[in-house]
Amino acid sequence: MDILVGILALFVAIAGGGGFAIDSVVRDLVRAQLVRADRLEVRVEAIPNYKLARGDIDRLRIAGRGLALRSPVRIARLDIETDAIALDLGSLGKTPRLRRPLAAAVNVELSEADLNAALNTPEILTTLQSIRAELPGSLGGSGQPEVLSLAAPRITLLANNEVILQSQVRVEGKSETLLVSFRSGLAVDDGVRLRLVKPTFTLNDVPVPPEIADIFLSGLNQIVDLDTLATQGIVARILKLEVVPGEMRLVAFARVEQIPGTTTP
């Protein structure tokens, strides 16, 4: 959703474009929010064109493929379509504001390879370190919590919203490396974060401590948790989650109360 934040922050430029090559202007502004884009198409609809001068847009459509954001996630496919946009352009020198909340439909596709790349970025890996959990006696547990660190996490996307998550586990003070693996269904809680459904966990084929599973899932949730947008005046909810072999698809809804970076009057 970070790209949606950047797009909304650029509405001032849209309104100021006066309709001259506005699709190209917005496309260039959106591209500036990205590290890379294999393909990016933008269409600004305003009929008649002079509506732009007073801050009115009928619809904004953005279609991107292979988008690399300034965040841990590369997006294989992103489609955004807004409802009508109404800006209060204000007087000269004042920041424009939304005259009414803006709604947008968002479709996202994430590939297995891109999710694995995101899980192995420093931002995510730091959350998988220094986990305190009690190991089973069959794995050398002492009956006291051990300090564990997860490395090389990997997700495999299966059919029917199922995933396999695996990672190496290093125990502080011990030389051996364990393998944690669990297979689970995925669902969405409250429209903002992922939840495991009927998971089965193993650590070197022994039932895994729940603390490890919870921390591992938290890393995945960092990629899709939408609560962080609330501070920017955006309410976003995942309406549909679909996992198929090699790909995760999300359909989301976003409601924007104010342009990011502005304050309410």
Side-chain angles (χ1 to χ4, degrees), residues 194-214:
L194 299 180
R195 172 173 53 87
L196 300 179
V197 179
K198 296 181 179 179
T200 56
F201 308 98
T202 59
L203 184 59
N204 276 19
D205 297 323
V206 175
V208 70
E211 294 92 340
I212 298 179
D214 291 342

Side-chain angles (χ1 to χ4, degrees), residues 2 35 67-75 110 113-125 219 222-224:
D2 288 347
V35 175
L67 306 181
L69 310 178
R70 296 190 179 102
S71 74
V73 189
R74 177 186 179 274
I75 297 177
L110 303 171
D114 291 335
L115 282 171
N116 281 313
L119 283 172
N120 283 275
T121 55
E123 295 93 329
I124 301 298
L125 289 176
Q222 282 190 66
I223 300 174
V224 295

Side-chain angles (χ1 to χ4, degrees), residues 17 23 29 46 52 124 131 195 203 212 232-233 245 265:
D23 290 354
L29 291 170
L52 288 167
I124 301 298
I131 304 163
R195 172 173 53 87
L203 184 59
I212 298 179
Q232 303 178 65

Side-chain angles (χ1 to χ4, degrees), residues 224-238:
V224 295
D225 195 336
L226 305 181
D227 272 345
T228 56
L229 295 176
T231 59
Q232 303 178 65
I234 298 177
V235 176
R237 294 292 181 267
I238 299 172

Side-chain angles (χ1 to χ4, degrees), residues 2-265:
D2 288 347
I3 189 173
L4 182 58
V5 176
I7 292 166
L8 294 170
L10 297 170
F11 281 168
V12 178
I14 296 176
F20 178 72
I22 191 66
D23 290 354
S24 298
V25 171
V26 178
R27 183 173 60 250
D28 290 344
L29 291 170
V30 173
R31 190 178 291 273
Q33 308 298 305
L34 307 170
V35 175
R36 187 181 72 256
D38 294 343
R39 186 166 63 119
L40 183 64
E41 298 176 3
V42 173
R43 181 173 179 80
V44 179
E45 298 180 7
I47 302 174
N49 238 15
Y50 63 74
K51 291 169 61 175
L52 288 167
R54 64 173 188 249
D56 290 323
I57 299 168
D58 296 328
R59 185 179 293 109
L60 172 64
R61 294 176 176 173
I62 297 173
R65 304 294 182 267
L67 306 181
L69 310 178
R70 296 190 179 102
S71 74
V73 189
R74 177 186 179 274
I75 297 177
R77 176 176 178 174
L78 174 68
D79 294 298
I80 298 175
E81 182 172 334
T82 74
D83 287 347
I85 302 167
L87 285 170
D88 179 2
L89 299 181
S91 58
L92 185 65
K94 289 190 176 181
T95 303
R97 304 179 188 277
L98 289 172
R99 297 203 303 267
R100 60 175 180 269
L102 166 68
V106 183
N107 287 271
V108 179
E109 291 184 4
L110 303 171
S111 73
E112 182 176 288
D114 291 335
L115 282 171
N116 281 313
L119 283 172
N120 283 275
T121 55
E123 295 93 329
I124 301 298
L125 289 176
T126 54
T127 68
L128 306 180
Q129 309 304 305
S130 302
I131 304 163
R132 298 188 66 84
E134 187 174 331
L135 292 176
S138 58
L139 295 175
S142 61
Q144 299 294 325
E146 311 270 3
V147 179
L148 314 176
S149 293
L150 277 63
R154 177 168 182 79
I155 186 171
T156 302
L157 303 177
L158 308 173
N160 302 317
N161 280 22
E162 281 199 318
V163 300
I164 295 175
L165 285 162
Q166 293 179 309
S167 178
Q168 298 174 14
V169 180
R170 297 189 178 95
V171 184
E172 187 176 275
K174 299 182 180 180
S175 58
E176 67 269 25
T177 298
L178 308 174
L179 176 67
V180 62
S181 177
F182 55 95
R183 180 170 180 154
S184 174
L186 277 185
V188 179
D189 264 348
D190 301 325
V192 295
R193 65 188 64 84
L194 299 180
R195 172 173 53 87
L196 300 179
V197 179
K198 296 181 179 179
T200 56
F201 308 98
T202 59
L203 184 59
N204 276 19
D205 297 323
V206 175
V208 70
E211 294 92 340
I212 298 179
D214 291 342
I215 294 295
F216 203 171
L217 180 62
S218 74
L220 188 58
N221 268 326
Q222 282 190 66
I223 300 174
V224 295
D225 195 336
L226 305 181
D227 272 345
T228 56
L229 295 176
T231 59
Q232 303 178 65
I234 298 177
V235 176
R237 294 292 181 267
I238 299 172
L239 304 179
K240 181 181 178 181
L241 167 69
E242 183 182 14
V243 177
V244 298
E247 191 171 82
M248 179 183 293
R249 302 167 184 162
L250 301 168
V251 178
F253 167 84
R255 178 181 173 88
V256 184
E257 301 292 338
Q258 64 188 54
I259 298 174
T262 67
T263 57
T264 54

